Amino acid sequence: MSRSAWKRAAVVLVAAAVVAGAAGCQDGDGGTKAAGASATAQPQTQSPEEAAKAVRAAYAKTAAAKSAKVEMRLNVGSDKAPGGSTFTGVQAWGPAAADLKVFDSSYLADIPGAPVETRVVAAGGATYVDLGTGLSAQTGGKRWLKVETGGAAAEDELMLQLTGGLAAVNMDLPKELGLLAGSSTVKHVGPVKGGGIEAEVYEGEIPGAELMQVWIGADGYPVKTIVHTEAGGAMNSLTTTYSDYGAKASFQAPPAQDTVAFLDLLERLGRG
């Protein structure tokens, strides 16, 4: 496979690491309209203090739940590597872990030999992407591509460039809510109803992101978040819906003998 195709593989890997919660390390203390929602948002009805209190309460409930089922849509607007992927499965926080299916991915579709659908597992401080068997000639027979959290690959300039800076965004939901609750720009947008969702919407700017919006249901748990980032003039977004808080998953890392590290793979391909 060509080096340019492996660059696209890098995009898939880092995008997976981001949504799996294996990227980003900012701590927190406790506006756009999504598809399928009706245009029922009303003018602000809560004060900034009330908005912060509501988000802080959602932070506490989310942190206690420790995990949830998720469906995520990542859209990257970078001129160098635009595209998108969808992820579904279980995401956990404290510690960060995930077991996700990846599909409807323009990046996977553009890599000869890559599977149409694949799996991402985040466990033990690393993120693994199942490359299937079609790419075994390039991976030395290894099926799983691995990136270490906080390692050299996570800070690789190519990765950061191709993901439009998304690797700098914290995808740990409780931490994001803590950052939003403490933001001087947090505000109540209003109620929204549609697409099976009924919630109060709050938004504000948080460190590392242009804008975060959270939809909080009647039970106090977030049902959706939308995070926008801007890098190099390109706007990127990650939309996540949440359900079944406290959901369990195995989060088991693949056997070490069946994994290839991202930096080792680049060396095999001659980047050095």
Side-chain angles (χ1 to χ4, degrees):
M1 183 169 58
S2 68
R3 182 184 172 205
S4 62
W6 275 110
K7 286 184 180 181
R8 294 187 179 277
V11 177
V12 177
L13 180 61
V14 178
V18 171
V19 300
C25 57
Q26 301 176 67
D27 289 328
D29 51 8
T32 59
K33 200 179 301 174
S38 60
T40 58
Q42 303 296 319
Q44 181 175 339
T45 58
Q46 297 179 10
S47 69
E49 292 77 14
E50 291 172 324
K53 182 178 179 180
V55 175
R56 194 173 297 113
Y59 156 82
K61 292 177 75 78
T62 301
K66 298 186 182 301
S67 65
K69 290 184 179 179
V70 295
E71 179 172 344
M72 307 172 176
R73 180 62 190 177
L74 173 67
N75 290 308
V76 179
S78 167
D79 290 338
K80 295 183 179 297
S85 299
T86 299
F87 305 80
T88 61
V90 177
Q91 182 181 20
W93 40 85
D99 192 340
L100 304 169
K101 180 176 75 172
V102 186
F103 60 98
D104 191 20
S105 172
S106 59
Y107 299 117
L108 290 174
D110 210 27
I111 302 174
V116 176
E117 295 183 358
T118 190
R119 182 180 172 211
V120 172
V121 175
T127 299
Y128 305 84
V129 178
D130 186 354
L131 297 177
T133 58
L135 302 175
S136 59
Q138 288 79 29
T139 63
K142 310 291 187 179
R143 178 163 182 153
W144 292 85
L145 191 58
K146 175 183 179 181
V147 61
E148 296 281 356
T149 304
E155 298 299 326
D156 186 87
E157 181 179 355
L158 172 62
M159 284 191 168
L160 293 174
Q161 180 184 46
L162 291 178
T163 58
L166 278 176
V169 178
N170 188 356
M171 289 296 108
D172 184 314
L173 179 57
K175 288 184 178 180
E176 288 182 318
L177 293 172
L179 290 169
L180 181 60
S183 172
S184 61
T185 64
V186 64
K187 66 179 180 180
H188 177 227
V189 177
V192 66
K193 183 177 181 180
I197 293 177
E198 186 171 355
E200 296 292 335
V201 183
Y202 302 86
E203 69 179 25
E205 297 177 4
I206 62 175
E210 182 74 11
L211 182 72
M212 177 182 178
Q213 188 178 88
V214 58
W215 301 21
I216 300 177
D219 59 1
Y221 286 101
V223 294
K224 179 181 286 189
T225 59
I226 305 173
V227 178
H228 297 278
T229 61
E230 185 174 2
M235 184 66 74
N236 311 312
S237 67
L238 178 65
T239 300
T240 307
T241 57
Y242 301 89
S243 63
D244 295 335
Y245 279 90
K248 305 299 182 184
S250 62
F251 307 129
Q252 186 173 354
Q257 64 268 24
D258 201 22
T259 66
V260 57
F262 178 72
L263 291 183
D264 291 342
L265 180 58
L266 289 183
E267 291 178 1
R268 286 176 58 86
L269 296 173
R271 180 183 175 195

